[in-house]
Amino acid sequence: MTDIPAKPPAVPLDQLDGPAHQLHFESILDSVPDAMVVTDEAGIILAFSRAAESLFGYTADEIIGQAVNRLMAGRDRMNHDTYIGNYMRTGHRQIIGKGRVVIAARADGTLFPVDLKIGEARIGDYCLFTAFIRDLSEQQNAERRMQAMQSELAHFSRLSAVGTMASALAHELNQPLTAVANYLEASRDLLDSPDPEIREVLRGALSEAATQAVRAGEIVRKLRSYVSRGEVDARPVRLTALLSDAVALSKVARERADIPVTVTVDPQADRVLADPIQVQQVVINLIRNAMDAMAGQSNARIDIRAARMEAGGLVEVEVCDNGPGLSAEMRDSLFKPFATTKAQGMGLGLSICQTIVEAHGGTIRAVPKTSGGTCFRFTLREDKDKLPT
Ligand code: ADP
């Protein structure tokens, strides 16, 4: 049996000698998770941590001895010397010990937001400043994403407001359609009359019927653009992010939000051309339908998968549940407007999904699962000019 050598006893920090201190300091520079920059009171960089190297794109060797304002941008870059001068003269702290958000500059000139905290150490007559810098670009991206999701959510609630709108729509459409029917019936009765005056009346009635029919068409057109926001703005998007956001949004304010939902995207299928908000609407709708279908089911689960199709430059997305499957009465009319089996349903969800998918140049269909449940599958065009990952 080999003996494990006993560890040397730990040395208390306050008893470290010069070289040991230096080693300790270097180990801090190597391992401190935030970027750390030490400067003297003239703003000259004395130490630059490993994290600072990767954040700013300079090596410690390149930057040590340079003025720290190289790492700053805009007003702070110009005023840095004045800040330090003021502080040294007046002792008035503007940033030291407080921390604030400033714009930093990388070696390649790109600017990015950081949270800057500065500590001060006085050693005899010298004054050292240690700055801890945290990259905020990720956080700001996350906030931007959150805002985008909120606007999508607002759009989604507008979509559910379509339900309410549908009854108003039925009422609106009723008027022009009744008028069309009345004018046409009156015209039929007048057709046989040889009286030229009556023929004039007949002409007027037919043209009135045509106007009313156009009005009805206009109302329907408005509804469609209200729901699908008019034009499709298809652009390259990452399917993984789009689907994960849709899953999160579909759970907002839902009773069955605890149903497990998995998302599996084949890396080959991750880049598609889509209007993300509209395609999210489709996915949210399919998830919510699946949740409704599995109400009260203890083994409920939803699996979302995306894969490239063999031919045609298409990606297929499927949303599968293990619910009771489609009812016989719905099978043929699934995508027709106002076809529903739900007491509170408007039967518009799937017809809107179809409109959106087809506007993207894809198709949508429902496939029963052999093991029970339903898969809704739709296609999107893949983004051929895949960006580097
Ligand atoms: P709504 O949800 O208002 O009924 P939809 O057009 O979204 O309108 O759905 C139409 C009908 O299709 C539903 O009422 C339901 O009967 C059926 N359906 C949709 N998704 C599923 C599913 N995952 N499992 C079983 N039936 C479904």
Side-chain angles (χ1 to χ4, degrees), residues 220-284:
V220 172
R221 195 188 58 74
K222 276 199 190 128
L223 174 78
R224 284 171 75 106
S225 67
Y226 175 88
V227 170
S228 69
R229 280 192 183 171
E231 296 283 292
V232 170
D233 174 21
R235 54 179 190 271
V237 289
R238 273 187 191 279
L239 208 42
T240 317
L242 185 153
L243 294 174
S244 321
D245 289 350
V247 170
L249 287 170
S250 68
K251 296 191 167 196
V252 173
R254 292 298 279 200
E255 273 174 23
R256 301 293 329 263
D258 58 334
I259 293 180
V261 183
T262 64
V263 176
T264 318
V265 176
D266 174 351
Q268 293 283 315
D270 199 23
R271 292 245 163 221
V272 292
L273 291 172
D275 178 330
I277 294 175
Q278 292 199 14
V279 173
Q280 269 180 8
Q281 260 178 242
V282 172
V283 179
I284 290 169

Side-chain angles (χ1 to χ4, degrees), residues 161-179:
V162 168
T164 320
M165 194 175 156
S167 49
L169 176 81
H171 181 72
E172 282 265 326
L173 277 179
N174 206 25
Q175 288 174 8
L177 291 179
T178 311

Side-chain angles (χ1 to χ4, degrees), residues 341-389:
T341 51
K342 299 174 196 168
Q344 305 295 325
M346 288 310 305
L348 279 174
L350 288 174
S351 95
I352 290 169
C353 290
Q354 190 178 40
T355 306
I356 294 175
V357 169
E358 288 179 355
H360 277 77
T363 52
I364 183 166
R365 66 205 163 108
V367 187
K369 258 180 23 182
T370 38
S371 54
T374 312
C375 285
F376 277 84
R377 294 191 181 146
F378 66 92
T379 54
L380 291 171
R381 279 179 299 140
E382 72 173 328
D383 173 20
K384 292 234 175 63
D385 305 322
K386 294 185 183 97
L387 300 175
T389 41

